[in-house]
Amino acid sequence: VGFPTAGSIAADGDVVSGVLPGGRVARLAHEGSFDELASSWQLLADWIEAHGLRPGADLWEVYVTEPSPDMNPADLRTQLNWPVSA
């Protein structure tokens, strides 16, 4: 889990700070269940390769809709982000 902050965060138990890389990012909007995320990540990897780009090591997800126990999984929206370089 990540949260943007305005300044430095001191480590406290399992809470540690991190930094997302700057630069060019390939992004895909996944619609639907978390169970289907692997196929969307593969789709994004295939797109990166097809466009002659090199994938970076750090990738992340942004949960656009907040999951809840009573929601329809088809309503979930997740943004997949993968740094790339030429």
Side-chain angles (χ1 to χ4, degrees):
V1 176
F3 300 95
T5 63
S8 300
I9 301 295
D12 184 5
D14 290 337
V15 177
V16 297
S17 65
V19 177
L20 292 174
R24 194 172 179 192
V25 173
R27 181 172 291 145
L28 182 137
H30 171 83
E31 298 181 359
S33 170
F34 292 142
D35 294 341
E36 301 164 4
L37 279 172
S39 62
S40 288
W41 278 113
Q42 185 59 55
L43 183 65
L44 186 55
D46 293 345
W47 185 92
I48 291 169
E49 182 179 353
H51 286 81
L53 300 170
R54 291 182 307 184
D58 298 314
L59 42 108
W60 66 93
E61 298 172 354
V62 175
Y63 305 109
V64 179
T65 53
E66 184 174 342
S68 68
D70 58 339
M71 77 180 303
N72 181 345
D75 295 333
L76 289 168
R77 302 292 178 263
T78 307
Q79 184 186 83
L80 310 183
N81 298 277
W82 203 332
V84 295
S85 59

